Amino acid sequence: QQQVKQSPQSLIVQKGGIPIINCAYENTAFDYFPWYQQFPGKGPALLIAIRPDVSEKKEGRFTISFNKSAKQFSLHIMDSQPGDSATYFCAASSSGTYKYIFGTGTRLKVLA
Amino acid sequence: EPEVTQTPSHQVTQMGQEVILRCVPISNHLYFYWYRQILGQKVEFLVSFYNNEISEKSEIFDDQFSVERPDGSNFTLKIRSTKLEDSAMYFCASSDNRAEQYFGPGTRLTVT
């Protein structure tokens, strides 16, 4: 019940495409859902996060869509660029705990 | 922009040796965390620390592990007797609330 399932494992898109990465959870106590971007040899960098009281959040080219009833959330990257090539992790946490539960990661490659 | 820093960037040690990984969290943050990432796998929570004590720890964080905030700026993770399976990237993170966590660049620990 503590797992966060992430798909796909890897994704290749053309420049300008809109990659979509999906995550699903079981624990209804989760109330904070961040996305992290990680480049090789670097630490995860916070991209965008959402709480269950909204269904969508946009920051620049990054959008999170949230479906509370389905217990799913997804990251969309608009107008993707080669510089977006990285591994993306979704995560979840609840107010009663301090820890993040991470998904397994999606390796994105954006072709020039 | 303030950031979490970690030293060393790479540590090689022999099995059975003690290692100390060091972190300087963002200065006004109150919550501190250690996570690890075995090569190619997801990021896993180890421990959280608040108000000079452990708030939460995972089953990975056994008696071989300890954390300390020896002064007002550093946060350390000690592994008393390293095992081969401790080889991983270790990330420190900090936050000023329980939500947004900011990660450092990581220390790559190699146990031989």
Side-chain angles (χ1 to χ4, degrees):
Chain A
Q1 208 189 22
Q2 284 291 313
Q3 279 190 328
V4 176
K5 294 182 181 178
Q6 184 171 347
S7 62
Q9 191 173 10
S10 63
L11 190 52
I12 300 175
V13 299
Q14 294 287 337
K15 179 183 172 184
I18 306 176
I20 301 172
I21 304 169
N22 301 297
C23 285
Y25 63 97
E26 289 295 322
N27 188 349
T28 55
F30 287 151
D31 59 6
Y32 182 73
F33 303 90
W35 283 91
Y36 282 80
Q37 178 189 58
Q38 186 180 32
F39 293 105
K42 304 291 186 185
L46 180 63
L47 264 183
I48 185 173
I50 198 167
R51 292 195 180 274
D53 52 346
V54 296
S55 59
E56 186 176 277
K57 183 174 180 180
K58 287 185 184 180
E59 283 187 10
R61 295 184 294 107
F62 299 95
T63 299
I64 300 179
S65 297
F66 188 85
N67 186 330
K68 188 174 180 179
S69 60
K71 290 183 282 189
Q72 295 175 348
F73 58 108
S74 58
L75 177 71
H76 303 231
I77 306 175
M78 306 302 176
D79 187 27
S80 59
Q81 302 295 312
D84 296 328
S85 298
T87 299
Y88 292 82
F89 290 95
C90 63
S93 71
S94 64
S95 300
T97 180
Y98 295 82
K99 66 184 180 189
Y100 281 174
I101 305 296
F102 279 88
T104 48
T106 297
R107 186 172 293 184
L108 172 66
K109 187 174 178 67
V110 181
L111 302 174
Chain B
E1 187 174 319
E3 57 183 18
V4 176
T5 59
Q6 290 184 242
T7 53
S9 57
H10 190 192
Q11 173 90 48
V12 181
T13 189
Q14 288 191 328
M15 198 166 49
Q17 296 296 304
E18 174 183 287
V19 293
I20 298 176
L21 309 183
R22 301 179 194 280
C23 168
V24 179
I26 294 172
S27 63
N28 62 337
H29 284 185
L30 301 175
Y31 300 86
F32 314 113
Y33 313 85
W34 284 100
Y35 290 81
R36 80 171 184 191
Q37 185 179 31
I38 294 171
L39 186 64
Q41 297 186 24
K42 68 178 180 180
V43 179
E44 298 175 290
F45 171 80
L46 290 178
V47 66
S48 59
F49 192 87
Y50 170 70
N51 202 24
N52 284 320
E53 59 183 26
I54 290 174
S55 315
E56 191 169 1
K57 60 183 181 179
S58 72
E59 57 275 6
I60 302 168
F61 193 89
D62 61 22
D63 291 345
Q64 293 301 310
F65 291 86
S66 63
V67 289
E68 194 178 36
R69 189 155 161 81
D71 53 44
S73 59
N74 290 284
F75 180 51
T76 61
L77 174 70
K78 183 194 290 186
I79 309 175
R80 270 182 260 285
S81 178
T82 50
K83 307 183 190 74
L84 293 176
E85 54 265 35
D86 293 328
S87 294
M89 281 290 282
Y90 287 80
F91 293 107
C92 173
S94 70
S95 67
D96 61 358
N97 54 51
R98 288 196 216 174
E100 298 175 353
Q101 295 182 21
Y102 294 88
F103 283 72
T107 293
R108 180 175 298 282
L109 176 65
T110 301
V111 182
T112 62

